[in-house]
């Protein structure tokens, strides 16, 4: 068995492990997050499923195309990254929202202690009321900017209002 076959098989195995252990990682995150205060739906499940499917199709494509050692490594890494991103977003989709200790959404868990500033909340109240946000950006202490996208303005506003209350207490 050559380098190429080993790379493809090990990448396939890694992708399977990532997808299979996603529910366990989500359970761990939910324990850290505490009680859900505001529920919100984020993202389209079809897109996340397609990311997962194409991650595995990339590995299948390697059966028919040779791109050299560097190309093979890159495609294996892209497949692994795609399966990680797709599975996190897909499994976190149903638990998205604002929790006692953090925000879960778009494949992220962001602890409230990491939030440095939420630019939308620094706007004047009249300006906030005039806008119809479906997303907001959070500036964090360590991770830089994190954007949370919602399916509706109402869900986004509900999360922002409760987040503003919670950040005022901290």
């Amino acid at each position: 068995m050559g380098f190429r076959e080993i790379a493809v098989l090990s990448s396939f195995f890694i992708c399977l492990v990532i997808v299979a252990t996603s529910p366990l990682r989500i359970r761990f995150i939910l324990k850290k997050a505490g009680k859900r205060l505001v529920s919100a739906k984020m993202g389209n499940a079809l897109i996340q499923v397609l990311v997962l499917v194409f991650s595995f199709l990339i590995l299948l494509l390697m059966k028919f195309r040779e791109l050299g050692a560097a190309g093979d490594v890159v495609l294996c890494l892209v497949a692994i990254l795609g399966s990680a991103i797709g599975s996190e977003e897909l499994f976190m989709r149903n638990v998205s929202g604002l929790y006692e200790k953090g925000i879960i959404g778009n494949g992220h868990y962001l602890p409230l202690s990491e939030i440095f500033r939420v630019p939308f909340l620094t706007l004047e109240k009249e300006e906030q009321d005039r806008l119809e946000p479906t997303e907001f950006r959070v500036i964090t202490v360590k991770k830089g900017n994190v954007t949370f996208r919602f399916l509706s303005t109402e869900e986004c506003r509900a999360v922002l209002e409760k987040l503003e209350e919670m950040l005022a207490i901290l």
Side-chain angles (χ1 to χ4, degrees), residues 42-43 48 88-89 92 96 104-108 147-150:
M42 298 181 176
Q48 291 121 13
E88 291 296 312
E89 287 192 20
M92 283 185 154
S96 297
I104 295 177
N106 302 116
H108 299 289
T147 302
F148 292 98
R149 290 178 181 83
F150 300 84

Side-chain angles (χ1 to χ4, degrees), residues 12-156:
F12 183 76
F13 178 73
I14 290 170
C15 289
L16 283 178
V17 168
I18 288 171
V19 173
T21 59
S22 285
L24 297 173
R25 288 193 308 277
I26 301 306
R27 241 183 276 148
F28 176 74
I29 288 171
L30 288 173
K31 283 182 183 178
K32 285 192 324 187
K35 182 180 149 200
R36 184 168 15 189
L37 304 174
V38 179
S39 179
K41 291 285 182 200
M42 298 181 176
N44 185 347
L46 178 63
I47 293 171
Q48 291 121 13
V49 169
L50 287 174
V51 168
L52 280 174
V53 168
F54 282 116
S55 296
F56 286 98
L57 284 177
I58 286 172
L59 295 174
L60 182 64
L61 173 70
M62 291 178 65
K63 178 89 172 143
F64 305 105
R65 285 280 188 205
E66 287 200 33
L67 301 172
D72 291 345
V73 168
V74 168
L75 281 182
C76 287
L77 292 174
V78 166
I80 291 169
L81 181 63
S83 66
I85 291 170
S87 66
E88 291 296 312
E89 287 192 20
L90 183 65
F91 287 102
M92 283 185 154
R93 184 176 181 280
N94 293 328
V95 296
S96 297
L98 182 63
Y99 288 75
E100 291 174 319
K101 297 178 185 169
I103 305 172
I104 295 177
N106 302 116
H108 299 289
Y109 168 66
L110 181 65
L112 294 180
S113 60
E114 280 292 311
I115 295 176
F116 177 69
R117 190 173 79 220
V118 180
F120 183 84
L121 298 177
T122 61
L123 297 173
E124 296 291 327
K125 200 63 173 164
E126 297 81 30
E127 181 75 14
Q128 288 180 16
D129 293 339
R130 191 173 52 79
L131 296 174
E132 294 184 17
T134 55
E135 68 179 38
F136 65 88
R137 187 170 44 101
V138 176
I139 301 171
T140 66
V141 176
K142 295 179 185 173
K143 296 179 183 180
N145 294 336
V146 178
T147 302
F148 292 98
R149 290 178 181 83
F150 300 84
L151 293 179
S152 72
T153 301
E154 293 78 26
E155 289 178 342
C156 185

